[in-house]
């Protein structure tokens, strides 16, 4: 059985979509993979409740408890490695990771970002897409490399930006697409030769 560890900072709806997909008979049978842990840098991350309800191990590694990014990433990696994951999935994990952390999980670290990368890395992606007059927004699943919100693209979903759209309305429409493409991209990655 391949283990998946998911890192979250908030509501964890992408994590929940991945967990639900992984509970389907086909997914388990075909991939032989399951979500073994959900780890958050925030104790109040809503997604932790869902994970616990599903009987998944949870942990909190609070970045505020550490004097540096390096020390936080070391502690985080120690918790992750307890599960010997084939894949580490960032799902709304709002921390910048150190190059050492990224190197440690090279080839088995993925992220979802709420824009059509390489457009709009960083924060406030939906407002920036609206302000730029883009006709389409979306989301990107990508391998994580040392450069923030870069790395080989695994999947994208394109969502039209409607006249009068607000960032919140667009974010909600993009999020429903994220829930579709993220589990699918993970399944493809885990079955790739
Ligand atoms: C998602 O839209 C995800 O793409 C984004 O945060 C949201 C998390 O939602 N990620 C980033 O902005 C990463 N830089 P969720 O907690 O409900 O999955």
């Amino acid at each position: 059985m391949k283990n998946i560890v998911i890192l979250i900072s908030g509501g964890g709806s992408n994590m929940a979509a991945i967990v639900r997909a992984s509970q389907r008979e086909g997914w388990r049978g075909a991939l032989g993979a399951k979500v073994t842990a959900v780890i958050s840098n925030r104790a109040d991350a809503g997604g932790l409740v869902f994970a616990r309800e599903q009987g998944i191990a949870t942990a909190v590694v609070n970045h505020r408890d550490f004097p540096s990014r390096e020390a936080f990433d070391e502690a985080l990696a120690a918790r992750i490695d307890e599960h010997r994951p084939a894949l580490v999935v960032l799902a709304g994990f709002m921390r910048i990771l150190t190059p050492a952390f990224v190197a440690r999980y090279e080839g088995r670290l993925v992220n979802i970002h709420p824009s059509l990368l390489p457009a709009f890395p960083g924060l406030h992606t939906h407002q920036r897409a609206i302000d730029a007059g883009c006709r389409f927004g979306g989301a990107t699943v990508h391998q994580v490399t040392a450069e923030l919100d870069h790395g080989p693209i695994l999947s994208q979903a394109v969502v039209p930006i409607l006249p009068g759209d607000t960032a919140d309305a667009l974010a909600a429409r993009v999020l429903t697409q994220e829930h579709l493409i993220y589990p699918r991209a993970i399944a493809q990655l885990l079955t790739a030769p």
Side-chain angles (χ1 to χ4, degrees):
M1 184 65 76
K2 289 176 193 156
N3 293 346
I4 298 172
V5 171
I6 304 182
L7 307 187
I8 64 169
S9 297
S13 69
N14 275 292
M15 174 273 296
I18 295 161
V19 168
R20 288 204 185 93
S22 76
Q23 290 166 339
R24 278 180 219 126
E25 210 40 58
W27 225 79
R28 252 193 209 188
L31 303 186
K34 69 169 187 167
V35 178
T36 44
V38 172
I39 303 175
S40 175
N41 62 311
R42 299 178 56 117
D44 62 354
L48 290 172
V49 177
F50 170 86
R52 284 188 204 112
E53 283 169 2
Q54 301 300 308
I56 297 168
T58 62
V60 175
V61 184
N62 187 339
H63 58 278
R64 293 177 200 275
D65 292 343
F66 297 89
S68 65
R69 262 185 213 286
E70 286 73 17
F72 168 68
D73 280 7
E74 270 295 322
L76 182 62
R79 297 311 297 264
I80 293 170
D81 290 349
E82 289 170 13
H83 300 274
R84 303 181 177 280
L87 199 62
V88 179
V89 173
L90 308 180
F93 187 66
M94 304 304 280
R95 299 295 305 166
I96 293 173
L97 297 163
T98 57
F101 182 96
V102 173
R104 185 180 190 131
Y105 299 105
E106 192 184 350
R108 54 190 179 115
L109 184 60
V110 293
N111 181 44
I112 192 160
H113 181 76
S115 78
L116 294 171
L117 291 174
F120 308 121
L123 298 174
H124 311 300
T125 54
H126 302 302
Q127 191 59 56
R128 286 158 64 206
I130 290 168
D131 291 347
C134 295
R135 302 300 171 97
F136 295 94
T140 303
V141 180
H142 65 99
Q143 300 260 19
V144 177
T145 56
E147 197 179 349
L148 181 70
D149 298 332
H150 280 68
I153 290 172
L154 300 171
S155 180
Q156 289 186 308
V158 179
V159 173
I161 296 177
L162 306 175
D165 238 344
T166 62
D168 284 350
L170 178 58
R173 292 205 309 284
V174 170
L175 196 58
T176 61
Q177 296 304 309
E178 294 184 35
H179 299 162
L180 299 177
I181 64 170
Y182 212 0
R184 222 180 280 149
I186 289 167
Q188 277 169 6
L189 197 61
L190 287 173
T191 49

